[in-house]
Amino acid sequence: MKKFLLLSLALIAAFVCRAQTFYGLEFHTPDNNHFVGLLIYSDDEHISMRLVDEEMLQKNSCYATNYTCHIEEKEDADDVGVMMFVPDDEGFPSLLWVWEKDDESDISDVPFIVYDANDADSWYKTDQFAEIALSEMNPDFVSQFYGENEPEYKMMLQGIQTVTQQNTYTSQVTPGTGSSTMHLMVVANTDVSDIGPACETDLRRIRSEFGGIAKVLGMTLNEHIIAGTNYGKRTMDQVLETLNPEDNDVVVFVYTGHGFRFKNQPDEYPCLDLSSSAYDDAEENFMALSDVFRTIVKKQARLNIVLSDCCNSEIDMNQPMVLSNSLFSRSNTNFDIEKLRVLFLQSKGEVIATAASPGEKAWCGDNGGFFLLSFFENLRSQISALNNDTPSWDTLIKNTIQSAAKKTADNKSCKTQNGLKEVRVKGL
């Protein structure tokens, strides 16, 4: 069994409950010592790494630590963002990414290895940094970082087996062969001048994630996209009026854009700003999220999910966009299809959730809205092949709100946002 020189119980717990995305990295120190690492990323709150060199492999030992993510804008350049993974244990390197505003591709570059953040001349880039799917791993690779008697080792091998077997099955699934339709309604203010790029990122992610889920589950996908020149209250009214799900269908509504509330508004949930241009009056072109929710629920689909990523502050207080990014993967190959079935085919009820409480702003960055990013991170945790817990909409939404609050609390450019939710879902 491997000996671990630095290992915390919290690291083990994070892996068992949440691990979902893996990154392999290699780097050489200035004295030419070669290290190989496995970075385990669930979200910005749950990051860990195991690290070995040739000597440690011979001794059958390994370093391990947790990381904390810090994101901020550089003080000397407002158009540059910095993301650093800071280790809990001394002696471990930090990982540092630097990217320019509106250049999301930079975050895909290999990170710097940093032992002294105050000495930029001492930083050096990793030789390799790339995502590794469970299906690409084998026992020899895993045994570099885990002892055969460790529960994590056994979970990794079981996860490899699960995703390898289901890859064959999902490649043969024909969309629309199931008994359920997913009605996906996305309202995204992609053309607005300030937060439009973040809304565009949200729109792509929403369509990719839910479209992929519908595909692997054999569901028919019925998309209604209200964005760009199609954005506005009239279009949204028409789509809601004609929405006609059957009793075994799933309705997913997601809004990303500006939001507001009126003074002395009793409803805790925000109003959605559906102005199609800066010359429209938001007070005449809005819809309350609560009204959207009630309208959809009355359609009597089996499962209704209503989400909004927008401010919940007084009108004319714009939604802020800051320099921010994450390691959120563009693909998800580590899921367990049975967990997806629990959430989308074996659940009945309704969910409403929004990014911010009354008086609060909802923050967004280069990687989209913090609330929606947190939702998809936690969705992937729920359906991970390495998660032994039964997936739950209540847990998913609760963790989403907590994750978004943590992201904003840890980002020096933000104020903490605290979302709202109501979950009434039961299993079939």
Side-chain angles (χ1 to χ4, degrees):
M1 181 177 178
K2 278 192 181 293
K3 297 182 296 181
F4 295 98
L5 305 183
L6 292 171
L7 180 60
S8 68
L9 292 176
L11 186 152
I12 297 175
F15 180 94
V16 171
C17 296
R18 308 183 64 91
Q20 55 182 291
T21 308
F22 302 92
Y23 292 86
L25 73 159
E26 295 185 40
F27 64 89
H28 287 79
T29 60
D31 58 4
N32 208 34
N33 194 14
H34 179 218
F35 282 93
V36 178
L38 180 66
L39 185 74
I40 307 162
Y41 178 87
S42 176
D43 54 42
D44 290 347
E45 305 165 58
H46 303 88
I47 310 164
S48 62
M49 185 165 69
R50 295 202 168 195
L51 197 62
V52 296
D53 60 11
E54 291 297 329
E55 181 179 354
M56 299 180 73
L57 284 173
Q58 293 175 6
K59 294 180 179 179
N60 201 33
S61 59
C62 182
Y63 289 114
T65 191
N66 290 319
Y67 279 87
T68 301
C69 178
H70 296 286
I71 299 177
E72 61 180 302
E73 299 176 11
K74 291 186 69 176
E75 295 181 358
D76 57 347
D78 291 339
D79 59 347
V80 175
V82 175
M83 180 171 74
M84 179 178 285
F85 289 177
V86 180
D88 289 355
D89 299 289
E90 293 184 4
F92 261 79
S94 296
L95 302 179
L96 174 70
W97 290 263
V98 179
W99 74 96
E100 295 183 359
K101 187 176 182 181
D102 300 327
D103 189 0
E104 188 177 342
S105 62
D106 281 1
I107 203 63
S108 300
D109 290 346
V110 297
F112 288 98
I113 299 296
V114 175
Y115 284 95
D116 183 356
N118 296 318
D119 182 11
D121 292 335
S122 69
W123 304 353
Y124 51 94
K125 282 196 171 183
T126 55
D127 301 322
Q128 181 178 347
F129 183 82
E131 184 177 346
I132 305 175
L134 282 171
S135 59
E136 298 171 331
M137 300 182 191
N138 57 44
D140 288 340
F141 174 84
V142 177
S143 64
Q144 295 179 97
F145 308 103
Y146 297 95
E148 294 182 2
N149 293 328
E150 285 190 274
E152 295 95 328
Y153 176 83
K154 298 174 183 178
M155 289 178 63
M156 290 277 282
L157 294 193
Q158 180 60 52
I160 292 170
Q161 182 180 9
T162 297
V163 299
T164 301
Q165 290 176 344
Q166 77 181 16
N167 280 351
T168 302
Y169 167 77
T170 56
S171 65
Q172 299 173 350
V173 172
T174 302
T177 57
S179 61
S180 181
T181 294
M182 177 184 290
H183 303 267
L184 177 61
M185 182 175 176
V186 188
V187 184
N189 199 351
T190 55
D191 283 356
V192 69
S193 59
D194 48 3
I195 63 169
C199 296
E200 182 68 41
T201 298
D202 287 336
L203 175 60
R204 290 195 303 268
R205 180 174 294 135
I206 293 163
R207 297 185 69 184
S208 174
E209 294 285 330
F210 285 112
I213 289 169
K215 180 179 178 181
V216 300
L217 293 178
M219 302 175 72
T220 300
L221 180 63
N222 185 13
E223 275 192 331
H224 305 277
I225 308 301
I226 302 173
T229 57
N230 193 36
Y231 186 84
K233 186 176 185 301
R234 178 178 299 179
T235 308
M236 185 167 162
D237 286 338
Q238 291 173 346
V239 172
L240 282 173
E241 183 178 354
T242 58
L243 183 66
N244 187 30
E246 297 185 1
D247 58 8
N248 192 38
D249 288 351
V250 175
V251 176
V252 178
F253 172 91
V254 188
Y255 175 81
T256 172
H258 284 304
F260 65 91
R261 65 185 300 103
F262 294 98
K263 290 183 179 179
N264 303 318
Q265 176 180 312
D267 180 12
E268 288 190 315
Y269 288 92
C271 297
L272 313 181
D273 183 350
L274 300 172
S275 303
S276 57
S277 78
Y279 296 93
D280 293 332
D281 186 352
E283 294 188 36
E284 297 180 359
N285 294 275
F286 76 93
M287 185 173 292
L289 183 67
S290 296
D291 289 340
V292 175
F293 178 66
R294 283 189 287 267
T295 299
I296 289 176
V297 170
K298 287 180 181 179
K299 305 284 185 174
Q300 297 185 329
R302 172 175 48 81
L303 181 65
N304 301 290
I305 309 298
V306 174
L307 308 172
S308 71
D309 197 337
C310 62
C311 289
N312 199 355
S313 50
E314 288 188 17
I315 196 167
D316 295 329
M317 294 181 64
N318 290 336
Q319 181 174 5
M321 185 165 177
V322 298
L323 285 173
S324 179
N325 225 312
S326 80
L327 277 186
F328 185 83
S329 173
R330 289 175 173 81
S331 62
N332 182 20
T333 57
N334 298 333
F335 67 91
D336 183 342
I337 194 170
E338 294 302 322
K339 293 182 173 64
L340 270 178
R341 289 192 176 107
V342 170
L343 287 178
F344 289 92
L345 299 182
Q346 299 169 14
S347 296
K348 180 178 182 179
E350 51 266 351
V351 174
I352 180 174
T354 194
S357 291
E360 293 180 348
K361 296 180 180 181
W363 299 81
C364 61
D366 302 296
N367 210 29
F370 288 8
F371 176 79
L372 285 175
L373 175 60
S374 298
F375 172 81
F376 288 115
E377 287 175 342
N378 283 280
L379 171 62
R380 291 189 178 185
S381 292
Q382 288 282 298
I383 63 174
S384 170
L386 299 176
N387 188 349
N388 287 330
D389 297 332
T390 301
S392 156
W393 280 104
D394 188 61
T395 301
L396 167 55
I397 300 300
K398 179 182 68 176
N399 290 345
T400 294
I401 290 172
Q402 291 175 350
S403 295
K406 187 71 162 52
K407 281 181 175 65
T408 50
D410 289 345
N411 191 309
K412 295 181 180 180
S413 303
C414 302
K415 292 183 179 180
T416 305
Q417 66 184 58
N418 301 279
L420 301 172
K421 71 177 179 69
E422 185 174 350
V423 181
R424 300 190 298 262
V425 178
K426 62 181 180 180
L428 296 178

